[in-house]
Amino acid sequence: MKMAGDKDHVYEGLKTIVGDAFVSRDIEELYMYSRDPGASIPRNADWVVLPNTTDDVRKIVVLARDMKIPVVPISGGLTLSGLAVPVKGGIVMDMRRMDRIVEVNEMSRYVVVESGVSQGKLLSFLKENYPMLRHSMPDAPPAASVVGNTLIYGSGHLSKHGAHSEMINGLEVVLGDGEILRLGSLAVSPYWFGRAPLPDLVSLFVNWFGTTGIVTRLSLKLYPAHPLRDMLIFLVQDPGTIPEAVSRITATDLMEDVLIVASRPPKSPSVISLLTVYLTAETPEELDFKKELFVDMFKDFGKEGSKIVFTPKEMLPQKLVHGFMEEPQYAAATADFKKGGGFEYVGVVLPLSMVPVAWKKGEDIAKKHGFDPLYTVRNVGLGHSVVFAFAYPFNRADEKSLKRSRDALADTNDMALEIGGTPWKSELEGQARIMARMDPMVLSVMHGIKKVMDPEGIMNPGNWEHR
Ligand SMILES: Cc1cc2nc3c(=O)[nH]c(=O)nc-3n(C[C@H](O)[C@H](O)[C@H](O)COP(=O)(O)OP(=O)(O)OC[C@H]3O[C@@H](n4cnc5c(N)ncnc54)[C@H](O)[C@@H]3O)c2cc1C
């Protein structure tokens, strides 16, 4: 138990490291860090601190280590599943001041960013300075960080290149004992161009939710930005056809992203499933060629009732197109119909072939808890897997409504594991369910690694912890 004097000592120590203006223990400010927009139970931090350099981060971790106080890194704070909520109190380390774009290597197509660089900042920086380059953007709000999203296996508009974690070239990390590691090619070279062919230590920080170290810099792969963009929208009559459809589309390697959204739009009597293929091209001829190819692909697909129907954008109600496809905030807006609204989802990484099973079981769960199905399914790689998200809106001001969502989330985690999926960026309850089913040898190796990286157990404790 920390004594009042210890608390003052920590507060003074943090002020010495970052300056008075960047530490707080005011309850109004701590309130903001006690919760995220999802359904997790709020927990209070004792201090929030905003470092400006890697050395600040190191000093804060050393202070926390000496005082045996939890440290929880937060970059954008938008995971929804409570992963940056300080479950055991302590210091929340808000990385947003460290928002420098350190280096762009145009020819080798990578960018080095600090931990606080937001998705929106990198997007506009590249548009302005390197219009021929782009990074893979998630549909998350633009305030989500590049580092936070990449470290949790995010996925986005360049999904054909895989999950965002697969786009990491290297990391600079402060470990739980205050040591600094530079991983990837930078371990032996001045260039941060890739992870191979060295033993891969980057993975020790991916999907660990900040429990093994605090990433201060990340080198991310960039991709060509073609001047022309368009999308084709298809109505899916039968979800059972999705694996075949996505498999055909991805076999061409001519799209950038394939996303399926299923929802009952406001005032619509039924759930509508739309499959969108995102395209880019260098010339109008190339774009036309690609559009024709995909439209033709589905002309004779399936029987009556199981067709994939190409629907020109002009033929869809504008609200539908706009809502589904062009505003990432749409889902949040949907959830905000009631006052105090929010939403959370279980994302599950699945083999493409399992989509129809998950779809059906998701419908059963939605029905059981009184929801309409609200799904997004994103292809990852060339049909190698999908991220299937089952979302549940709630009214934060109504405890019953929150409980209903939490119960549906729990059932969805169980269902996902039963059908052979892996829950993605799981909240604490989901992590417990995963660990309960995990191969005990894997669990034991995970705990061994954690002990080496964070001997005092101060890094985002509660997460990946055996209860
Ligand atoms: C409307 C909406 C749409 C979304 N769509 C998508 C989507 O299409 N694709 C997608 O991938 N996600 C999506 N998301 C989910 C989520 O917003 C993102 O994954 C988000 O990008 C996470 O990044 P963040 O910066 O908010 O991470 P944070 O919440 O800050 O952190 C995530 C985890 O990483 C840890 N962490 C943070 N910074 C560091 C660091 N420097 N070092 C070590 N650990 C750290 C935190 O402790 C936490 O455990 C969506 C969310 C919403 C609300």
Side-chain angles (χ1 to χ4, degrees), residues 12 37 80 101 118 176 196 311 324 368 375 444:
E12 292 307 318
L80 300 179
I101 295 172
S118 69
T311 315
F324 266 138
K368 174 179 162 192
Y375 299 156
S444 150

Side-chain angles (χ1 to χ4, degrees), residues 103-410:
E103 180 194 345
V104 174
N105 189 319
E106 202 171 357
M107 200 52 76
S108 294
R109 294 196 180 121
Y110 67 82
V111 60
V112 179
V113 293
E114 288 187 336
S115 178
V117 171
S118 69
Q119 296 285 345
K121 177 166 178 165
L122 182 57
L123 178 74
S124 51
F125 173 83
L126 291 173
K127 268 191 178 160
E128 202 176 318
N129 300 289
Y130 298 92
M132 295 308 289
L133 291 173
R134 64 192 289 225
H135 76 294
S136 183
M137 281 277 288
D139 289 325
S145 73
V146 174
V147 167
N149 176 264
T150 307
L151 290 180
I152 57 155
Y153 203 79
S155 57
H157 294 172
L158 293 174
S159 66
K160 77 171 198 175
H161 297 290
H164 295 162
S165 303
E166 297 168 88
M167 300 173 184
I168 302 175
N169 281 340
L171 299 174
E172 178 184 80
V173 195
V174 177
L175 301 183
D177 62 1
E179 292 297 327
I180 298 173
L181 286 185
R182 293 190 180 86
L183 303 171
S185 48
L186 205 72
V188 291
S189 149
Y191 305 109
W192 225 340
F193 59 87
R195 279 149 82 166
L198 304 173
D200 186 14
L201 299 184
V202 166
S203 306
L204 296 177
F205 303 91
V206 173
N207 297 321
W208 285 82
F209 309 150
T211 61
T212 47
I214 298 181
V215 171
T216 44
R217 289 184 177 194
L218 182 145
S219 169
L220 184 75
K221 284 190 193 345
L222 299 174
Y223 298 88
H226 305 293
L228 302 177
R229 302 175 66 187
D230 209 339
M231 61 188 185
L232 300 173
I233 299 175
F234 298 85
L235 274 166
V236 179
Q237 293 183 335
D238 172 7
T241 60
I242 289 172
E244 176 63 22
V246 174
S247 179
R248 285 193 192 188
I249 295 164
T250 51
T252 64
D253 198 6
L254 290 176
M255 77 304 151
E256 302 226 314
D257 188 19
V258 188
L259 187 69
I260 297 126
V261 182
S263 155
R264 189 169 64 79
K267 296 188 186 135
S268 158
S270 52
V271 171
I272 295 179
S273 309
L274 299 180
L275 180 153
T276 304
V277 181
Y278 291 86
L279 303 172
T280 58
E282 283 296 307
T283 63
E285 294 74 26
E286 184 191 344
L287 196 60
D288 286 346
F289 165 78
K290 287 179 175 172
K291 281 159 85 172
E292 225 170 281
L293 177 93
F294 288 117
V295 171
D296 281 354
M297 184 177 275
F298 292 107
K299 266 193 179 139
D300 302 316
F301 184 93
K303 297 192 194 100
E304 215 36 62
S306 62
K307 289 192 173 300
I308 305 273
V309 186
F310 171 61
T311 315
K313 277 173 289 191
E314 313 74 66
M315 285 177 61
L316 285 165
Q318 270 318 297
K319 197 167 175 190
L320 192 66
V321 181
H322 192 60
F324 266 138
M325 302 304 163
E326 286 168 10
E327 278 191 17
Q329 317 84 308
Y330 176 67
T334 309
D336 274 334
F337 278 141
K338 299 180 199 165
K339 259 198 176 159
F343 84 106
E344 193 176 316
Y345 57 89
V346 170
V348 184
V349 184
L350 276 175
L352 178 57
S353 54
M354 290 303 288
V355 168
V357 177
W359 196 286
K360 176 74 191 65
K361 289 191 180 277
E363 282 173 346
D364 295 343
I365 294 172
K367 196 166 167 199
K368 174 179 162 192
H369 295 281
F371 292 103
D372 282 323
L374 176 53
Y375 299 156
T376 59
V377 183
R378 165 168 273 136
N379 161 68
V380 179
L382 293 177
H384 293 102
S385 63
V386 297
V387 178
F388 195 140
F390 305 79
Y392 304 106
F394 53 81
N395 175 355
R396 196 179 297 281
D398 175 354
E399 198 44 54
K400 270 197 197 139
S401 148
L402 258 168
K403 182 174 178 321
R404 191 169 69 119
S405 290
R406 287 185 190 131
D407 290 347
L409 291 165

